[in-house]
Every structure is written in C-alpha cells, then in structure tokens.
C-alpha cells in the first residue's frame, strides 16, 4: 500500500534556479537562502521517496490563454524543462509515475474533483526549482514526480478550502494504491511577493510567519478560511500561490509534526519559506 | 459556499498599486499575452529581436498595446490586460531578471528598488487597502 | 437578471447532422426522427433564448489525448465547426457569450467546481447537431452559445451526482448575472447506444423511457444515483452520455413541467430521445 | 463519496463484448489514438491515402497496432487501446458512416447488422453481465 510519509513546502523562485545553474549559491546574497535547505537535503537522502506529488503552478509555460485548467494532473511518463524565454534550465528531465498518477486521477474524479488529465507538457521553474532545492544537482532526479498544476494566475484560483479538500482526497487515493510506495506531497510557491505594479516588492514577514505557524499546527480550520483578498492584501499579488501549500497540508491529515522550518527574506523579489512536516496518525 | 462574485471582484480594486488578473483583464489582454507567450520559442525570439515592429504587427493587438510592449512600459501593459507571467517572456528575452523588470514598475530607480529589497522589501503598512487607509 | 427559462435534452447523433446537411430529412428513415422536433422548433422560435448553455461532449475533436478536462467551459467569442474527418459541417460559426460565460466560469470556481476555461476551440457534432435539430438551417444561429464540454470518453466521467450539482451551481451563477437574459440549458447525447465491439447496436427502450420519466419528474434523487456501470450495462457503452442531461436537469431546480417529449428508435446506431422542460418555481 | 476504484474498474470486465476506455487502454493506445486524430487535417488525410504504410510508420505504434489499423480490424484496434471516437477519424476518411463501421465489429454481415438496427437494435437481454448471465 502506498503511504504519504511527509509533506514539504517551499518557495519556487526562478532566480533560485538560476543561482544554482550559474553556480552562485556560495555568494553572500544566496548563501542564507540555500543554508536552510541543507538539513532537508540530508533528510530526503535518507527518506528516498519513490514518488513526489508536486503541487505547483504553471507560469504561462505549458498553458497559454487558450486553456486554463483549475487542477491539472500529469499522467505522462516524462516531462521536459520548459523554455521560459532564456532557454530550458539545464536540469534532468522529470520522470513521471504514470501508474500512480492515473490511479490518483481516476480516484479524484470518482471523488467528485473535476480534474484535467495531462499526458504531455513541459514543466517550468514552479516544478523544477523545488526539485533543485531538495535534491541538488544530480545527473538524474532520485524520485519520480506527479506534477499537479493549479491555476493561480487567472482569477479566481481555487479557494483554500477546495485545495485542502483536494489534499484530503489525494491522501485517500494514495492509500488505495496497492503497490508499496513511499510518497511525499510538496506544496510550492510563495511566500509573500508581488511582481507587478507600483506596489511591487511587498514582503510581509509577520503574516508569513503566522502562516508557517498555522501550517505546522494541528488546526487547519484557520488556514482553510483565508480568503483570496487576504492573500492579495497581506502577501502581495503573487502570495496567492500559498493556497497550493494547503493541498499538501490537507493530504497530511489532522495532526502533523514539524521537522524543519526555514524562512529568509529574500530571494529576488520573494520571501523564501520552507517547511518539512510529518503526518502523525 | 455562496460568495458573491461581484463583491469578490470589487474588492480587488481596493488594493493600492495592484492589478489583479481577472476575466476582464484576461479578455482585454488576450493577444498581448499570447504574443508574449510566443517568445518561448527560440526562433520567434530571433525574429522578434531582428525586427520588433514587424513581429508584433503580426498579432491582433491594439496600437496602444503594441506601443506599451515596444516601450517596455510594464505598468501600461498591465493596464491594457497584460499578465506579468506572460510579459516575463518579453523581459527574459531582453535578458532582464524578474528583479530588474519588476523594479521598473515601482517608479523607483533600479538602485533604490534593489536597496529596498535587500533591506527586506516593501512594508504592507499603508498599502493593504485604499478605502481603509491601512 | 438573467433567468433560466427552460431545459432541452436531445441526442446529438452525427448522422442526424449529415441527414440535414445532405437534405435527406424527408426520407422515410429520417422523417420520424425529425417529426419529433417540429413542436420544439415552433416553441423555440417563440421563446427566442438569448443564450444557450450547451452541455455536450467533445468526441476527440477539440481535445486529443494530451489533455482531458472533466468540465470545460467555453469563454470565447466564437467557435468554428470541427473537421471530424469528412470536412467541417456546413453550418454557421457558433457565437459565444463571453460576458456570461466568464461570469459563470468565475462563479463556478468560487463555488468549488474545478473548471477548465477554454478560449479557443472547434466544436464538433456533439454541439452542432443539437443546434441544427432545434434551429433548423438558418444563415446565422439565432442564439448565442456557451459550450460546456464534459469528458465522457476517457473513464471515469464525472458522476451523475456531480453533474447534477454542477447544474445547480450553474443556476446560481446565471441568477447572479445582472443583465436581463433569457437563458436555456441543453443537455445532449444518448440515449442508449453502443458504437463498439461485438455488443454494438444495443438499444434499451424500456430503460430509456424510464429515464425520460425520471427526467420529467420532480424527484431527481433516483437520477443522481444511477451509476456508471448501470449506464454501461443497460444503455451501451455510449449511453453514458446521458450523465450530461443531469447537468441540465440540475439547473432547472426541484420541480419541472414537461412541455414536450419525443423518443424514436433509431437514428444510425442510436435511440433518439428529446425533452423540453420548464422549471416550476 | 467513497467508491473503491478497483471494484469500479473490475465491473467493466463483466460486460459482454464491450471494452470500456479506461486508463489502462488509454495508455496502451495513446499513439494509435493520436495517429487517428491527425486525420482531422485534410493535408494529413491526403498523405495517408497516398501511402498508408509510410504515413503510419511516422507514429510510435506497435506493429500489431499498425496492422490492426491497416486491416481496419476495429475490434483488434479496441483490444490494443484504440477508442472509437478517435478511430472514427480513420473510417470517416474511408468514407464510412458510423453505422457501416460499427457493424464490422459485431461479426454480422453489413446487411444483417443494418436489418437488426432497423428492427429496433440489439436487445440488452443476456448481454448485461457475464457473471450474472442476464
Ligand atoms: Fe510562482
Ligand atoms: Fe456523442
């Protein structure tokens, strides 16, 4: 039986990927960003998850304005890094886990989630930067990945509550997969940042840290109730990405144990947040 | 759930210096964003760099939208329905980072914006709500 | 305020479109198929709906295997008839109603339906054959259309219950649109038919008529509970399309008044069913 | 809701003479279906008609899948992961209607199939369930 063994939350700032690709991680600006992932890299080297369900958003890479899926699950065999305007990132292709992905997709649809199934797409920094942060720069990614792309670009994105419920449904789906697999769920994006308009550059440490507290706590109710307008006002226009963390949190169940926490202002325009959580049954 | 969509959308106009990418903007900026997206292909980037005007004229955009792009006036692009993740293909093609491009929208000099960000970013104090002045 | 004034259910058999396009409707084989729509054409000419929310399924025309949305709503300005292998049908382009469509799409997502928004696509016989049946062969379609494409090709399709709930949510969304519009909801596809394998040609009159009774009745519970396997066993592998009728039925509310009913075996491989229903408030 | 997906899928194998297009089939037949879909373009239909073998060889399909298509053996196509709405592009290109093409899968002559359909179609009696013989 497949098991969800841990949840990871992390920012997915493109500049973090560029810093790694261009070997700048030891520079004073970048060093404290990456220092917070040292523990996590050691941890995940021991954990060796077979599959990561990687919740992220596409940043106008795989999906243009022709088609905007709210929840899209990648059921393909492999995904190439997208060319976001400066050529694809020099990282390995991402290997899918089509058996588990299709199982989850089918289960979610029966569970009344209106999933869009994707068989071919390129994956952008939203997916590859978390991989680089957690796994470093291997020749080949050590885990298979099920991409779960959430629309947080065109309004409205799904509610925080809906994201949480999707996480719960993913947990039920994983549990009913017969093969013995160590599965992690990652929620990516955030934390506070605004990439547009005169208010660009907004950072809200207090709010972000309250959110990290709530994520590490056993009471999800307060998280589920955060409205889109609150994310927008308090965390900048791109802080809305944090709804994706709730999919991961919902998948872990009621009680969690925080294993690791990292918060750093900032990378590029963004407050970097990172959590490793364990479900407590 | 019964959120009133009209109230939901109306609140977005109460955030200072921010354009939320709603249906209205998505419709207005449709071709500007699709144009920007086309720059994900290396061959299109070459054609764009060789003759920006000729390339942009292939797209059914308003003259104002074209000019905003040619001027790299990203606030104007947002006003005309652009979305920052689509527009990112334009400034990435120019070799600009998000940090550099985003700063141009704040009315600050690149140095001042960078300095503000290194000092911890812009405080939310006073820019949460126009109506409530908080 | 926009109002849902009626619901229409109809089969969308491609051969019906071909019979109209090739002027065969008066032939003895086709005459009884079309006779059942005479009343409906007179009725709709008086009703003059501003917008039809047309629930149908794409038959591997707009969507290939790369992307399979469960619920896709067309928010575009216009749609061309698809080329399904014998050239596009000689019917007018379909004009969208982008204002109402985006309003519904936004409302549904806030209401926790995980919609896929579509801005460009071609529409196949699933959408154009019902238009032809109801409107005949005008130079221009008299109503605007919001295409709502449901996956019933790759398993699992959405449950009947989920379709019903979507219908209810569409009704709430239409009611909150400020412009005064006469809106109809059409559910298409079915009735019993199987287009594949040694069991092809299956027709189940008794089951179809029971379904027509339930659709015309005030108790939706029995309809919502019909499982996918029941559709498959009783109505053939393609009878599953009838889940789309439930979106229409859910949108009409608890009580309905049947205005017109037509059932004919058969057109091509398919039992033709057709209903016109009015909500009773 | 808590439908068991394994039970849900297992029931599909209990329907006589029917292949439900599940994930398993969708994955097996992926390229066969994508090939079929390509025939929605007039220029591809021309190339296909001019040299079927050359055209199909451009697709990463198994030899068995290719042969089933070339033979217009639609039951075999279904067994190898084909879906009827995708395969419809192949028989539409041949100028066959759904009625003509579907009949070929039943083991009946075209005349017998047409006659059965005009007489009201195949009864569900006895073909609902293999296990329950009803
Ligand atoms: Fe992001
Ligand atoms: Fe159909």
């Amino acid at each position: 039986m497949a098991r969800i063994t841990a949840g990871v939350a992390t920012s997915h700032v493109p500049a973090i990927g560029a810093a790694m690709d261009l070997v700048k991680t030891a520079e004073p600006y970048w060093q404290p960003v990456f220092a917070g992932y040292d523990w996590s890299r050691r941890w995940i080297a021991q954990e060796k998850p077979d599959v990561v369900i990687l919740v992220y958003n596409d940043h106008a890479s795989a999906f243009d304005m022709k088609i905007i899926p709210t929840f899209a699950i990648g059921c393909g065999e492999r995904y190439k890094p997208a060319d976001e305007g400066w050529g694809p990132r020099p990282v390995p292709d991402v290997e899918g886990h089509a058996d588990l992905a299709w199982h989850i997709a089918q289960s979610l649809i029966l569970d009344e989630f209106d999933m869009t199934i994707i068989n071919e797409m390129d994956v952008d920094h939203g997916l590859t930067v978390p991989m680089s942060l957690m796994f470093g720069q291997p020749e080949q990614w050590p885990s298979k990945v099920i991409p779960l792309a959430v629309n947080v670009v065109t309004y409205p994105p799904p509610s925080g509550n809906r994201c949480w419920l999707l996480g719960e449904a993913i947990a039920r789906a994983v549990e009913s997969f017969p093969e013995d697999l160590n599965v992690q769920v990652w929620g990516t994006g955030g934390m506070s940042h605004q990439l547009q308009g005169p208010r660009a550059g907004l950072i809200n440490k207090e709010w972000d840290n309250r959110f990290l507290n709530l994520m590490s706590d056993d009471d999800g109710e307060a998280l589920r109730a955060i409205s889109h307008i609150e994310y927008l006002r308090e965390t900048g226009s791109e802080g809305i990405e944090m709804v994706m963390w709730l999919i991961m949190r919902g998948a872990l169940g009621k009680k969690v144990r925080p294993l690791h926490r990292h918060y750093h202002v900032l990378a590029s325009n963004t407050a970097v947040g990172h959590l490793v959580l364990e479900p407590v049954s | 759930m019964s959120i009133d969509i009209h109230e939901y959308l109306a609140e977005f106009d109460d955030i200072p210096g921010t354009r939320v990418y709603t249906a209205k903007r998505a419709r207005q900026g449709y071709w500007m964003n699709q144009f920007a997206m086309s720059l994900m292909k290396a061959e299109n980037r070459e054609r764009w760099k060789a003759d920006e005007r000729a390339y942009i004229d292939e797209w059914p955009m308003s003259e104002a939208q074209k000019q905003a792009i040619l001027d790299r006036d990203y606030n104007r692009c947002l006003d005309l329905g652009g979305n920052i993740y689509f527009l990112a293909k334009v400034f990435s093609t120019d070799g600009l980072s998000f940090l550099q491009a985003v700063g141009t929208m704040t009315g600050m000099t690149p140095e001042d914006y960078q300095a503000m960000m290194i000092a911890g970013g812009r405080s939310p104090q006073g820019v949460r709500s126009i109506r409530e002045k908080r």
Side-chain angles (χ1 to χ4, degrees), chain A, chain B:
Chain A
M1 193 181 93
R3 302 151 286 126
I4 293 178
T5 56
V8 172
T10 178
S11 302
H12 61 212
V13 187
I16 293 178
M20 291 183 70
D21 300 341
L22 304 172
V23 204
K24 293 182 179 174
T25 57
E27 290 182 5
Y29 180 89
W30 287 109
Q31 195 279 330
V33 171
F34 291 101
Y37 290 86
D38 287 344
W39 183 91
S40 311
R41 289 191 190 169
R42 289 193 303 272
W43 168 81
I44 206 161
Q46 291 177 339
E47 290 290 312
K48 297 193 206 319
D50 298 300
V51 189
V52 172
I53 299 171
L54 205 159
V55 182
Y56 76 111
N57 65 297
D58 180 73
H59 303 77
S61 304
F63 305 118
D64 62 8
M65 288 307 298
K66 277 190 206 167
I67 184 157
I68 308 164
T70 294
F71 292 138
I73 181 166
C75 294
E77 305 284 351
R78 93 195 284 113
Y79 310 94
K80 291 201 172 296
D83 180 344
E84 299 179 58
W86 58 85
R89 286 193 63 208
V91 293
D93 286 3
V94 173
E95 243 188 287
H97 195 299
D99 287 346
L100 180 60
W102 272 104
H103 170 81
I104 292 173
Q106 293 179 316
S107 301
L108 290 175
I109 292 167
L110 287 183
D111 219 352
E112 305 200 332
F113 288 82
D114 316 313
M115 306 307 291
T116 292
I117 291 170
I118 304 286
N119 281 308
E120 294 179 49
M121 68 173 168
D122 290 346
V123 290
D124 73 10
H125 71 267
L127 186 138
T128 62
V129 166
M131 300 280 285
S132 298
L133 278 169
M134 292 299 293
F135 292 126
Q137 294 166 299
E139 283 291 300
Q140 206 186 322
W141 299 120
S143 298
K144 297 191 175 183
V145 171
I146 298 174
L148 202 160
V150 178
N151 168 47
V152 295
V153 173
T154 303
Y155 271 72
S159 69
N161 185 58
R162 185 66 178 166
C163 288
W164 185 284
L165 293 173
L166 178 63
E168 291 183 340
I170 288 171
R172 287 192 292 274
V174 169
E175 270 169 35
S176 68
F177 189 72
E179 205 179 318
D180 182 40
L181 290 175
N182 177 348
V183 179
Q184 294 187 357
V185 183
W186 296 6
T188 74
M191 297 183 81
S192 54
H193 64 309
Q194 173 148 343
L195 301 180
Q196 51 119 323
R199 200 176 73 141
L202 186 132
I203 296 288
N204 192 339
K205 279 189 209 185
E206 292 70 28
W207 198 97
D208 286 345
N209 276 289
R210 215 153 46 227
F211 189 82
L212 290 169
N213 292 345
L214 290 169
M215 282 289 297
S216 310
D217 196 63
D218 294 339
D219 185 12
E221 295 308 315
L223 284 168
R224 294 164 74 153
I226 300 169
S227 61
H228 293 164
I229 188 71
E230 177 170 348
Y231 287 109
L232 285 162
R233 289 195 200 280
E234 296 288 345
T235 73
S237 49
E238 278 61 58
I240 188 70
E241 291 183 341
M242 282 183 273
V243 294
M244 296 186 291
W245 292 30
L246 300 199
I247 297 175
M248 175 274 273
R249 183 61 191 80
L252 296 185
K254 189 129 185 71
K255 284 175 99 73
V256 290
R257 181 182 304 120
L259 299 182
H260 179 63
R261 174 170 173 162
H262 170 48
Y263 184 73
H264 175 73
V265 173
L266 47 60
S268 184
N269 302 281
T270 305
V272 174
H274 171 45
L275 282 176
V276 178
L277 304 174
E278 208 176 45
V280 180
S281 52
Chain B
M1 306 274 287
S2 54
I3 295 173
D4 182 303
I5 182 80
H6 307 294
E7 287 172 29
Y8 172 87
L9 294 172
E11 284 192 290
F12 295 165
D13 295 328
D14 181 50
I15 309 169
T18 303
R19 286 86 159 178
V20 182
Y21 192 62
T22 54
K24 196 174 144 215
R25 289 205 168 81
R27 290 171 65 183
Q28 186 191 7
Y30 192 85
W31 290 110
M32 180 158 52
N33 291 320
Q34 294 293 74
F35 147 79
M37 190 95 183
S38 75
L39 299 178
M40 287 181 72
K41 292 213 173 83
E43 58 269 32
N44 291 340
R45 292 198 288 270
E46 289 317 309
R47 290 182 50 224
W48 162 248
K49 283 182 197 168
D51 187 344
E52 294 195 351
R53 184 78 222 190
Y55 186 80
I56 209 167
D57 277 341
E58 295 170 15
W59 295 84
M61 292 159 59
S62 73
E63 187 51 38
Q65 288 176 322
K66 290 179 189 175
Q67 201 55 55
I69 292 276
L70 293 170
D71 294 345
R72 308 299 195 268
D73 183 345
Y74 291 110
N75 277 326
R76 186 101 186 95
C77 289
L78 295 175
D79 282 336
L80 298 171
N83 172 277
I84 194 63
Y85 291 122
F86 287 83
L87 298 172
K89 279 56 176 174
V90 179
F91 64 70
S92 295
T93 300
D94 288 339
L96 256 60
S97 71
F98 266 95
L99 190 64
Q100 293 167 315
V102 163
T104 68
M105 288 179 268
T106 60
M108 301 166 77
T109 63
E111 296 72 30
D112 287 353
Y113 183 74
Q114 289 236 19
M116 176 181 79
M117 294 317 283
I118 284 172
R122 183 188 306 282
S123 163
Q125 198 53 48
V127 290
R128 293 182 173 97
S129 164
I130 299 168
R131 198 175 52 222
E132 298 170 17
K133 298 191 175 62
R134 63 182 174 107

